[in-house]
Amino acid sequence: HTAKSMIVSLSADSRNRQNDVDHPYRQNSNFLYLTGMPYAKSALIIAPGGIEHDGQISHEFLFVQPRSTEKEAWEGALMGLDEARILLIERILPYAELRTFMMKHLSGIDTVFFTGLPTSSIPIPLADKPLSVETIIKNDIQSTFPELYVKTTLPTLNALREVKDADEITLMKKAIDISIEGHISAMKESHPGITEYELEALMEFAFKKGGAEDIGYSSIMGSGYNTCILHYTSNRKATMNGDLVLADCGAEYQNYTADITRTFPVNGSFTADQKKLYDIVLEAADSAIAEAKVGNTFRAPHNAAKKVLLKRMIEIGLIEKEEQLKWYFMHGTSHYLGLDVHDPGTMGTLKHGSIITVEPGLYIPPGSPCDQRWWNIGIRIEDDILIDSNGPINLSESLPRTTQAIEALMKSKNK
Ligand code: GLY
Ligand code: MN
Ligand code: MN
């Protein structure tokens, strides 16, 4: 049955910001994974049963934009039809022929899989609902080929991306090592009064200096009550003496991203209450990492973290029963990590060669139903764990993660 199927993988759209000025381009991760092609307006077609095109049967077709001297004056050289041969895909064709090619060859096919779509929906404010690109694509193709199954995901690809090969692990380690330098530099330069955006700039300066092309996601640099906002990214506040800073930042290196969080006191010393909660989160992280083992369920690390948080939070009187834990811990503990910060995977048992995050936290925003002394304390500790048949390997372990090690690092700032 695969003999009659076709896989279509599309490059990411370039996103216009204003007249003739685009956002920085980032290739779609599925397309990049399958091709290595970094440029827009390209597509891959895989046909396991082979397709006869121009008198020759092939199984893989890459569509790319031909080179153009006028364009290159603005954008620099891209990979044209000749250059793209380095990607070792059987046939290279001009991108403009993609639609004709598909319409011609879909007639012999029973199932077409898209590896995802460049945009999930087109927001049209005057319509009731945004139009789904999925519907548009399905309708367009379906009207010509009513018998065809059109699928807009390819689960096999999630399974492939879940397990990293040796080259991918090398790139991940590099992204993580660069990120560690960024976190160290933000911690060392920190002092009361420094703004969140200055800390963000120090972090990202170190990323660029280390050779990272980009950040893997918007840097989260929250201080004081902002430590309690899980995806805080505006980073506009000035820190104050006594604040904690929660830095969730990861560099992207050759399209692979790290995802690391550390929480540190802006003045270099944890208060007793901050330390108490920090040590609970650290204990939860350690017990979750210990469960990040081949063959365990995907939820095993999360369950281990929750168990510790629940026990300790009851002990110190912040909650009384299990249902209340979600007041202060309201997210999962792990996700896959790779080309995307929230990388795809099967959510099945943990596999050798997979990389997941372990990131328990506690967040106590002002107004919480507890003694005010705990308010404004938000703590997350996030590490990147390689699942290995010899046991979990914490790839971000060398970045200080105990209160003592963080305080020692911050005291070393003027050396
Ligand atoms: N940085 C986003 C996350 O930790 O999942
Ligand atoms: Mn994460
Ligand atoms: Mn994170």
Side-chain angles (χ1 to χ4, degrees), residues 217 248 259-261 359 380 382:
Y217 53 94
D248 181 347
D259 183 10
I260 302 177
T261 308
E359 48 176 312
R380 177 160 66 253
E382 177 172 29

Side-chain angles (χ1 to χ4, degrees), residues 10-51:
L10 302 170
S11 63
D13 280 340
S14 36
R15 228 163 29 103
N16 189 255
R17 186 177 164 143
Q18 78 243 1
N19 310 325
D20 268 348
V21 178
D22 287 343
H23 284 277
Y25 186 72
R26 169 58 159 75
Q27 188 55 281
N28 173 278
S29 296
N30 279 336
F31 180 71
L32 191 67
Y33 183 81
L34 292 171
T35 63
M37 174 64 168
Y39 299 115
K41 291 198 164 59
S42 36
L44 174 75
I45 289 186
I46 301 174
I51 284 177

Side-chain angles (χ1 to χ4, degrees), residues 216-220 230-231 248-250 258-261 331-332 334-337 341-342 357 359 380 382:
Y217 53 94
S218 298
S219 295
I220 297 169
L230 302 179
H231 281 174
D248 181 347
C249 306
D259 183 10
I260 302 177
T261 308
H331 59 75
S334 299
H335 54 79
Y336 300 107
L337 187 66
V341 63
H342 294 167
T357 64
E359 48 176 312
R380 177 160 66 253
E382 177 172 29

Side-chain angles (χ1 to χ4, degrees), residues 182-190 262 264 399-400 406 409-410:
H183 279 265
I184 288 175
S185 111
M187 281 188 214
K188 280 191 168 183
E189 299 292 327
S190 164
R262 288 295 183 266
F264 59 88
L399 180 60
I406 289 171
L409 174 75
M410 292 182 74

Side-chain angles (χ1 to χ4, degrees), residues 337-362:
L337 187 66
L339 287 167
D340 292 313
V341 63
H342 294 167
D343 221 38
T346 60
M347 309 296 277
T349 53
L350 297 172
K351 294 179 189 65
H352 175 79
S354 180
I355 298 177
I356 65 168
T357 64
V358 166
E359 48 176 312
L362 287 172

